[in-house]
Amino acid sequence: MCGIFAYVGGRKDAISLVRDGLKQLEYRGYDSWGIAYPKNEIALLKEVGHIPDKILEEPSSLALGHTRWATHGGVTRLNAHPHLSSNKKIAVAHNGIIENFEQVVSKYDLDMKTKTDSEVIPLLIEYFLEQSYSFEESVRRSLQELEGTFAIVAISSAHKELIVARLGSPLIIGETKDGFFVSSDIPALLGHTKKVLVLNDGEMAILSGSLELKNFYENVSLDPSFIEIDWDVSTAEKSGYKHFMLKEIMEQPKTILDTLQGRIKDHQPLLPELEGINPKRIIIIACGTSWHAGIVGEFLLEGLAKIPVEVEYASEFRYRDPLVEKDTLVVAISQSGETADTLAALREAKKKGAKVLSICNVMESTIARESDIVLYTRAGPEMGVASTKAFITQLTLLYLITAHYASKNKTLSVRQVQDMCDDVLSLPRYIEQVLDEKGQIEEIAKEYFESRNALFLGRGIHYPIALEGALKLKEISYIHAEGYPAAEMKHGPIALIDVNMPSIFIATRDTHTYEKVLSNMQEVRARGGKIIALATSGDRRVTELADHIISLPRTRYALSPFLVTIPLQLFAYYIADLRDCNIDKPRNLAKSVTVE
Ligand code: M6R
């Protein structure tokens, strides 16, 4: 969603630094952009649409920029950030929502020109400046008036400072020898520095040649604690691939190994974070792709570790007054760690006394910071809006957590747990084999890229992967796709089957529902439907029923969801590419969904 990038320091190319930073934030999704920098008044560049490759060059050592994903007010140049005060001497970029902006406008009699909630901030700062407060104090007093969520960056044409603040929306400061960068996320900073300070809620920083950190409610100074990020800058670049999505699909063997690093020892799971946590019940909360990972987790944890599990849409969990007993562990899964629905559900769970374990990819993200225990997926920055490598690493952690509790609860023998650990270490090799066959999947995509609808069908532990296959296809290719447990097809969706409707079946031999899936394939075939089947290599029975086969290496049940995921990601990717879609930045979507 919206992104902020800003610079203050010794360099004179602040405008192009900020433009480049905004380009790095493009993957989050946006519909307009803007940059502000001080002159006599504030100079402003802003437009609806894409950030241009070339931008006005004017020397400046201070600039702030914003990419907007519209919430309040339409997609117009006027509503694009940064917003200015009435005298055009203050500029503010804002992420989040100011819930009480109407009350503030009437309390201070402010003259709003745009349809955004954000404009209230520069107007309020101007109001306090006119009462003879300093710039810093005017910003601080303004922040105290605001309710809702925000990350803000403010500049004034009369001061060589950048003032930033956070309440509920992420904001990161990066330190270099030439000055400070400010960004909504870490990947955009990696080209400049790995030394970052993640602002906490209620904190503001005054940045010029130095940094001063404060709590803006109490006006007390704080010690900044910078951390070193271990992500590599190349992970946030395309490295010769046409799209981030393809690069990230291809990276999956490596990301699985990164996730497992140091977490298996002597053929046993090593998750010290879980010591002393012995849940009687687990509730998994997540959204979108992470929710699909959660359902795979349900099959693994219930089936192998024998712990009752429920998987809830985070957005529903929060509002239905759920029962959370003592000894319930709530597991929040989120790639970004900033998803507003998941964060709100996590807070609700904590309010009800649950311990929260989060599975996150982004270090120091809000969900990670508010959880009792965090397991990082270590997928590296995921730049494609469609989640691929983050999903596979979520599955990897859920698999390891299962092995941990299966060992602890003695629901599997020592030997079986050892097999689980050995198997997952060999998984990257199998995934490489599937990736090597990507040309074959591209050929199949060529036959179906003009389809208008598609069904994804699988049973048992493959059912969430069918849902994920459908989500991948619809979000990047805009083809309407539905995922179903295969048996449910005959309770409605079968009415849609005809020669124009491809069904993608997950029909590998590694689950006990294999025979049943074959029957479901017969039902589609009998109605003239086209079938693409994911089958275990050498399976003649599936070959006879399907129009196209994607062969997969034979594997064990618990690893099967990993393997079947890969061809579905590639299928969605090639279809979207053939349709010439904006794969890394699909329309209307945002990488990190920070509104409820
Ligand atoms: O960052 P999160 O994992 O919390 O995001 C949840 C969903 O918004 C996300 O998985 C979304 O469905 C992706 N676009 C899927 O590719």
Side-chain angles (χ1 to χ4, degrees):
M1 296 203 137
C2 303
I4 285 177
F5 198 88
Y7 171 77
V8 60
R11 294 179 59 167
K12 294 278 171 255
D13 55 348
I15 300 169
S16 46
L17 284 173
V18 167
R19 188 215 76 103
D20 295 350
L22 292 183
K23 276 285 202 196
Q24 293 279 327
L25 294 173
E26 275 186 320
Y27 79 102
R28 295 164 64 92
Y30 72 109
D31 41 51
S32 53
W33 64 276
I35 294 176
Y37 56 99
K39 284 180 85 170
N40 293 336
E41 294 178 339
I42 296 285
L44 201 55
L45 310 165
K46 55 184 193 175
E47 293 301 336
V48 167
H50 283 125
I51 302 159
D53 291 332
K54 284 226 169 306
I55 206 161
L56 164 105
E57 292 292 339
E58 240 192 312
S60 178
S61 54
L62 172 63
L64 65 84
H66 189 265
T67 48
R68 175 172 189 251
W69 191 89
T71 52
H72 284 62
V75 181
T76 62
R77 185 179 179 281
L78 184 67
N79 290 340
H81 295 220
H83 290 293
L84 299 186
S85 55
S86 302
N87 63 9
K88 299 192 172 40
K89 290 185 187 285
I90 312 289
V92 171
H94 162 231
N95 285 356
I97 293 177
I98 305 300
E99 285 164 3
N100 64 335
F101 81 95
E102 278 159 336
Q103 291 94 301
V104 175
V105 167
S106 59
K107 177 172 170 188
Y108 291 96
D109 194 21
L110 303 176
D111 180 19
M112 298 273 282
K113 300 201 168 49
T114 74
K115 295 265 178 284
T116 72
D117 53 329
S118 311
E119 192 192 0
V120 73
I121 309 170
L123 296 179
L124 202 49
I125 296 172
E126 179 183 42
Y127 170 88
F128 286 116
L129 275 168
E130 281 167 0
Q131 313 299 307
S132 303
Y133 291 108
S134 67
F135 180 41
E136 177 191 323
E137 185 58 15
S138 300
V139 174
R140 201 180 71 76
R141 285 182 179 255
S142 302
L143 295 172
Q144 291 185 331
E145 293 290 324
L146 305 178
E147 287 169 18
T149 56
F150 52 81
I152 70 142
V153 184
I155 58 171
S156 138
S157 57
H159 302 83
K160 289 246 166 310
E161 295 168 338
L162 195 60
I163 302 191
V164 305
R166 166 189 170 140
L167 188 73
S169 289
L171 205 58
I172 329 282
I173 299 169
E175 185 180 13
T176 71
K177 63 178 176 29
D178 295 322
F180 295 99
F181 289 84
V182 178
S183 172
S184 296
D185 66 26
I186 293 169
L189 295 172
L190 289 178
H192 301 290
T193 183
K194 290 186 180 175
K195 189 178 174 191
V196 303
L197 171 70
V198 182
L199 281 192
N200 289 309
D201 284 345
E203 288 181 356
M204 68 189 282
I206 302 98
L207 305 167
S208 52
S210 57
L211 177 150
E212 194 188 348
L213 186 68
K214 282 191 163 182
N215 177 299
F216 60 73
Y217 291 118
E218 288 151 17
N219 200 15
V220 289
S221 292
L222 303 165
D223 283 335
S225 59
F226 280 86
I227 53 168
E228 283 287 329
I229 295 295
D230 61 4
W231 284 355
D232 193 326
V233 67
S234 69
T235 49
E237 291 168 351
K238 279 193 211 150
S239 314
Y241 283 97
K242 187 171 177 189
H243 297 101
F244 277 114
M245 183 178 176
L246 183 58
K247 175 178 178 255
E248 288 161 1
I249 291 172
M250 300 303 287
E251 277 172 3
Q252 292 178 107
K254 179 181 176 301
T255 52
I256 291 173
L257 288 176
D258 289 344
T259 309
L260 294 174
Q261 182 74 34
R263 286 172 169 159
I264 292 180
K265 193 175 169 208
D266 300 332
H267 309 278
Q268 295 294 317
L270 184 67
L271 293 175
E273 298 88 340
L274 300 185
E275 284 316 320
I277 312 278
N278 300 311
K280 294 230 166 356
R281 179 175 166 235
I282 291 177
I283 302 176
I284 297 177
I285 47 173
C287 304
T289 288
S290 299
W291 185 78
H292 298 154
I295 306 178
V296 175
E298 179 181 22
F299 277 95
L300 293 173
L301 282 157
E302 278 201 354
L304 302 176
K306 305 297 174 202
I307 304 173
V309 179
E310 288 144 55
V311 187
E312 300 240 11
Y313 284 117
S315 52
E316 291 296 318
F317 176 84
R318 182 190 179 187
Y319 290 106
R320 68 171 189 78
D321 197 16
L323 288 179
V324 179
E325 304 101 340
K326 200 164 144 296
D327 298 326
T328 296
L329 176 68
V330 170
V331 178
I333 307 178
S334 175
Q335 179 282 129
S336 62
E338 302 294 346
T339 301
D341 287 322
T342 310
L343 182 59
L346 174 157
R347 287 176 177 158
E348 182 67 23
K350 286 188 83 171
K351 217 159 54 186
K352 289 183 178 290
K355 264 223 170 333
V356 177
L357 159 70
S358 65
I359 295 179
C360 283
N361 194 40
V362 179
M363 270 176 77
E364 295 295 318
S365 54
T366 312
I367 289 175
R369 282 145 61 104
E370 293 199 15
S371 302
D372 300 293
I373 314 148
V374 192
L375 291 174
Y376 285 112
T377 48
R378 307 178 187 155
E382 189 178 63
M383 308 300 286
V385 162
S387 184
T388 52
K389 63 175 182 172
F391 176 69
I392 218 83
T393 57
Q394 291 167 346
L395 296 188
T396 308
L397 275 181
L398 289 161
Y399 179 99
L400 266 192
I401 295 170
T402 302
H404 170 91
Y405 282 119
S407 163
K408 205 138 209 100
N409 300 346
K410 301 199 176 4
T411 53
L412 294 181
S413 66
V414 173
R415 181 57 202 263
Q416 285 170 314
V417 174
Q418 178 173 331
D419 284 346
M420 278 188 81
C421 292
D422 294 349
D423 287 350
V424 74
L425 285 167
S426 61
L427 177 65
R429 259 191 301 122
Y430 290 116
I431 293 187
E432 295 282 7
Q433 286 177 31
V434 181
L435 291 170
D436 284 347
E437 297 301 319
K438 64 181 189 314
Q440 182 207 353
I441 298 165
E442 186 173 9
E443 287 309 308
I444 300 174
K446 283 181 186 161
E447 290 201 31
Y448 293 97
F449 77 98
E450 288 175 322
S451 300
R452 300 186 58 182
N453 302 287
L455 267 183
F456 287 75
L457 301 160
R459 295 185 75 148
I461 201 164
H462 291 153
Y463 137 65
I465 306 299
L467 300 186
E468 175 60 8
L471 179 68
K472 283 290 88 83
L473 185 68
K474 84 179 108 186
E475 68 180 338
I476 61 167
S477 76
Y478 318 136
I479 291 175
H480 172 240
E482 294 296 337
Y484 272 95
E488 276 296 304
M489 181 193 60
K490 58 187 175 294
H491 299 290
I494 199 165
L496 302 171
I497 302 289
D498 66 13
V499 68
N500 298 315
M501 170 78 138
S503 297
I504 296 93
F505 273 93
I506 305 175
T508 52
R509 276 187 174 269
D510 35 32
T511 68
H512 58 278
T513 48
Y514 167 74
E515 293 290 341
K516 305 278 179 204
V517 175
L518 291 194
S519 310
N520 300 139
M521 287 172 71
Q522 296 273 17
E523 290 153 12
V524 170
R525 201 176 161 81
R527 285 158 185 85
K530 294 276 187 202
I531 295 179
I532 301 165
L534 275 55
T536 305
S537 173
D539 186 332
R540 290 222 198 96
R541 294 175 67 195
V542 178
T543 310
E544 278 166 21
L545 287 173
D547 296 279
H548 307 274
I549 292 284
I550 298 171
S551 291
L552 297 170
R554 184 179 282 274
T555 186
R556 290 200 222 229
Y557 165 81
L559 287 185
S560 179
F562 294 77
L563 278 192
V564 298
T565 296
I566 311 297
L568 299 186
Q569 295 171 340
L570 287 167
F571 182 67
Y573 172 78
Y574 286 122
I575 294 247
D577 195 30
L578 287 159
R579 290 165 72 91
D580 218 8
C581 294
N582 192 353
I583 293 184
D584 287 332
K585 288 169 256 165
R587 69 181 179 211
N588 304 336
L589 293 182
K591 184 66 186 167
S592 154
V593 183
T594 50
V595 292
E596 278 190 67

